[in-house]
Amino acid sequence: MPYINIKVTDEGVTPDQKLALIKGATQLMVDVLDKNPATTIVVIDEVNTDNWGIGYDQVTSLRKK
Amino acid sequence: MPYINIKVTDEGVTPDQKLALIKGATQLMVDVLDKNPATTIVVIDEVNTDNWGIGYDQVTSLRKK
Amino acid sequence: MPYINIKVTDEGVTPDQKLALIKGATQLMVDVLDKNPATTIVVIDEVNTDNWGIGYDQVTSLRKK
Amino acid sequence: MPYINIKVTDEGVTPDQKLALIKGATQLMVDVLDKNPATTIVVIDEVNTDNWGIGYDQVTSLRKK
Amino acid sequence: MPYINIKVTDEGVTPDQKLALIKGATQLMVDVLDKNPATTIVVIDEVNTDNWGIGYDQVTSLRKK
Amino acid sequence: MPYINIKVTDEGVTPDQKLALIKGATQLMVDVLDKNPATTIVVIDEVNTDNWGIGYDQVTSLRKK
């Protein structure tokens, strides 16, 4: 029944990488908490680098440095 | 004053369906909790089927089965 | 498969009201989007009135007015 | 280490406005809570006006009034 | 820089299990997306079983069945 | 109409600091985006240091170092 939300910058995450994130996060719930994978939900949000800030800066700017 | 966030897969939700979700979720807050609808906010997130996982799998794959 | 997150102030929501919110939000997904209720998840967050702000003010203060 | 999520309607927020939101939200954490800006994360979500409801209505409709 | 939010029911998750979730989710970001672990944030929310619904029902009731 | 969610560790944030966060975040929406403060919502989540991870570690452990 867990719900996992993964937020990453939108920088070319492939469908296979998304599947790996879903499989890995679901397995983590099974391994650590013995949760039922059938009702474990994983949602991945890809965020534009203009919209993600860290240390006062946009990731867009950080990538150019 | 409630805030309701609805996350669904991005599979052709129409503007009218979105309006129905907004009206229904707001009415639920009024009916059950006697909240003020004027400041009740509903935000709908439509998530790509590649980015939504359940039971180790991407919804994209589940839809093909 | 939808995920619905309801945030309200922590002001004595009863278990029965929570159940009504869960049932109502799930039914809304079935009625409007024909979703499967068996995998529809509803999570209710109750937020301390000190931690909820609207119009520059804490709800704690608004309740005293 | 704080995480700040800002949700606004998708109505032409410019990259400079996004940077101002990131800088301002990060500075708020430093000023009020003495947090380390280097690990303060700000994520801005721009939501389609069809997907944002307030007072039973879509923002799309409210903007036409 | 990723942000991972894990929501589970509040049913006795131990500090060691929380640490395992944090380590596992962070490692997943490194392995799949080559992200920097130093700025990868994991936040775990433990939700009262009265406040978590699935299939029209509260988890509190499901646990009694 | 914006919605701002601030997540910080639960380490003695005072009611006055919470009010300062609410006022500051609301003012930021007014200053940068010309939003209406009357419908701007700020929600602060205080997270147990066991439940917050960064760089593979719980904040509880980091505070002891």
Side-chain angles (χ1 to χ4, degrees), chain F residues 6-64:
Chain F
I6 298 171
K7 287 185 197 292
V8 293
T9 44
D10 186 7
E11 299 177 281
V13 183
T14 67
D16 278 0
Q17 286 175 320
K18 291 174 185 178
L19 181 57
L21 292 175
I22 288 166
K23 282 190 190 303
T26 305
Q27 192 60 44
L28 190 64
M29 298 304 127
V30 173
D31 290 347
V32 176
L33 298 175
D34 198 27
K35 294 291 184 184
N36 179 5
T39 54
T40 294
I41 288 178
V42 181
V43 171
I44 302 164
D45 292 329
E46 295 168 279
V47 178
N48 191 295
T49 55
D50 276 1
N51 292 27
W52 192 298
I54 182 165
Y56 291 116
D57 235 337
Q58 280 167 310
V59 174
T60 310
S61 306
L62 296 174
R63 291 300 186 239
K64 290 178 183 161

Side-chain angles (χ1 to χ4, degrees), chain A residues 1-9 11 13 17 20-21 24-25 28-29 32-33 35 39 52 54 59 62-63, chain E residues 1-9 11 13 17 20-21 24-25 28-29 32-33 35 39 52 54 59 63:
Chain A
M1 222 161 353
Y3 170 81
I4 302 108
N5 180 224
I6 298 170
K7 288 184 196 293
V8 293
T9 44
E11 299 177 280
V13 184
Q17 287 175 320
L21 292 176
L28 190 65
M29 298 303 127
V32 177
L33 299 174
K35 294 290 185 183
T39 53
W52 193 299
I54 183 165
V59 174
L62 296 173
R63 292 299 186 238
Chain E
M1 222 162 354
Y3 171 81
I4 301 108
N5 181 224
I6 297 171
K7 287 185 198 291
V8 293
T9 43
E11 300 176 278
V13 184
Q17 286 175 320
L21 292 176
L28 189 64
M29 298 304 127
V32 177
L33 298 174
K35 294 290 183 183
T39 53
W52 193 298
I54 183 164
V59 173
R63 290 299 186 239

Side-chain angles (χ1 to χ4, degrees), chain D residues 1-9 11 13 16-18 20-22 24-25 28-29 32-33 35 39 52-54 59 62-63, chain F residues 1-9 11 13 16-18 20-22 24-25 28-29 32-33 35 39 52-54 59 62-63:
Chain D
M1 220 161 356
Y3 170 81
I4 302 109
N5 180 224
I6 298 171
K7 287 185 197 292
V8 293
T9 44
E11 300 176 279
V13 184
D16 279 359
Q17 285 175 320
K18 292 174 186 179
L21 292 175
I22 288 166
L28 190 65
M29 298 303 126
V32 176
L33 299 174
K35 294 290 184 183
T39 53
W52 193 298
I54 183 165
V59 173
L62 296 174
R63 291 299 186 239
Chain F
M1 222 162 353
Y3 170 81
I4 300 110
N5 181 224
I6 298 171
K7 287 185 197 292
V8 293
T9 44
E11 299 177 281
V13 183
D16 278 0
Q17 286 175 320
K18 291 174 185 178
L21 292 175
I22 288 166
L28 190 64
M29 298 304 127
V32 176
L33 298 175
K35 294 291 184 184
T39 54
W52 192 298
I54 182 165
V59 174
L62 296 174
R63 291 300 186 239

Side-chain angles (χ1 to χ4, degrees), chain E residues 2-52:
Chain E
Y3 171 81
I4 301 108
N5 181 224
I6 297 171
K7 287 185 198 291
V8 293
T9 43
D10 185 6
E11 300 176 278
V13 184
T14 67
D16 279 359
Q17 286 175 320
K18 291 174 186 179
L19 181 57
L21 292 176
I22 289 167
K23 282 189 190 303
T26 305
Q27 192 59 45
L28 189 64
M29 298 304 127
V30 173
D31 290 347
V32 177
L33 298 174
D34 198 25
K35 294 290 183 183
N36 179 5
T39 53
T40 294
I41 289 178
V42 181
V43 171
I44 302 165
D45 292 329
E46 296 168 279
V47 178
N48 192 294
T49 54
D50 275 2
N51 292 26
W52 193 298

